């Protein structure tokens, strides 16, 4: 695998999309080929699975079904999009990846770490982010931003996961921070309360420091 695989994690409203857009521009300016994608989703079939996972009407999945749907989406996404892009030397920027499954399905839902790790490794087929950028945000601030978005006319309502209680989202946040502690050299933690320009500048500096982006 020649290309670099970078994922972005954080609570809803932490500013991942804005940061990813800025990083994409920086790579494009440096004439590097870049693929921007997301999980769950990223291929037509995986996007159909995403819709099943997040919909709020009808039967809710039990936690085993939920994790298997995330992993099904991931297996398809890795095989069809991420692995081929890395093999052709492209940089892949992914909004969420397996580290979300550890935070949400293990720390917040309570599935054992051994089971989550083993399902993640099976879906990844050897493809893992070399760097995970975490936009760390308090649950209160995440909620505040979410409400602001919902108040905008025509904006989407909260999905099934966003509707979980605050203590669920607190466990998700703890789950991200715990993983960052386990592998500090693979994680880059940012305070998502900072303004967007500062978050972008710090991320680009880290990428330059690693030699992944020209000066
Ligand atoms: P998004 O809103 O960031 O696009 O992600 C959809 C939701 O799915 C979000 O609340 C996080 C959650 N999620 C998991 O619970 N497990 C996973 O493995 C992934 C990738 C996302």
């Amino acid at each position: 695998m020649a290309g670099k695989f970078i994922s972005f994690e954080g609570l809803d409203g932490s500013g991942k999309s804005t940061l990813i857009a800025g990083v994409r521009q920086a790579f494009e300016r440096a004439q590097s080929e870049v693929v921007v994608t997301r999980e769950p989703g990223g291929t037509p079939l995986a996007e159909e699975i995403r819709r099943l996972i997040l919909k709020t009407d009808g039967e809710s999945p039990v936690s085993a079904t939920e994790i298997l749907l995330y992993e099904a989406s991931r297996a398809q996404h890795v095989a069809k999009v991420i692995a081929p892009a890395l093999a052709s030397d492209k940089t892949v920027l992914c909004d969420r990846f397996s580290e979300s499954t550890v935070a949400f399905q293990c720390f917040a839902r309570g599935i054992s770490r051994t089971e989550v790790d083993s399902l993640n490794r099976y879906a990844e087929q050897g493809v893992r982010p070399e760097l995970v950028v975490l936009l760390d945000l308090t649950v209160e601030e995440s909620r505040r931003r979410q409400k602001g978005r919902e108040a905008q006319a025509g904006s989407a309502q909260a999905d099934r996961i966003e509707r979980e209680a605050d203590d669920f989202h607190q466990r998700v946040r703890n789950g991200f921070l715990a993983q960052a502690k386990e592998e500090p050299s693979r994680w880059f933690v940012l305070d998502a309360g900072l303004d967007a320009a500062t978050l972008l500048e710090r991320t680009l500096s880290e990428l330059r420091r690693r030699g992944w982006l020209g000066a």
Side-chain angles (χ1 to χ4, degrees), residues 74 78 97-99 119-128:
R74 177 162 307 130
V78 167
F97 197 66
S98 299
E99 289 68 19
L119 290 168
N120 277 344
R121 297 301 89 82
Y122 184 60
E124 291 163 357
Q125 293 293 305
V127 175
R128 297 193 77 202

Side-chain angles (χ1 to χ4, degrees), residues 12 16 39 50 54 70 74 96 100-101 104-105 161:
D12 294 298
K16 288 183 279 108
E39 290 218 345
R50 176 188 175 91
L54 298 179
Y70 280 112
R74 177 162 307 130
R96 302 195 183 283
S100 266
T101 320
F104 284 82
Q105 278 65 50
I161 309 287

Side-chain angles (χ1 to χ4, degrees), residues 1 21 33 37 39 42 69 92-93 104 110-111 128 143 188 191-192 196 199 205 207:
M1 294 291 168
E33 281 200 275
T37 189
E39 290 218 345
L69 288 171
V92 175
L93 308 179
F104 284 82
I111 299 177
R128 297 193 77 202
R143 286 285 189 224
F188 182 58
D191 173 358
L199 292 171
S205 304
L207 295 175

Side-chain angles (χ1 to χ4, degrees), residues 54-68:
L54 298 179
K55 71 189 181 75
T56 50
D57 59 326
E59 181 185 356
S60 303
V62 298
S63 59
T65 308
E66 181 182 70
I67 190 171
L68 291 169

Side-chain angles (χ1 to χ4, degrees), residues 14-30:
S14 56
K16 288 183 279 108
S17 309
T18 306
L19 181 59
I20 291 170
V23 173
R24 167 193 231 152
Q25 275 190 353
F27 274 103
E28 286 173 349
R29 272 199 301 272

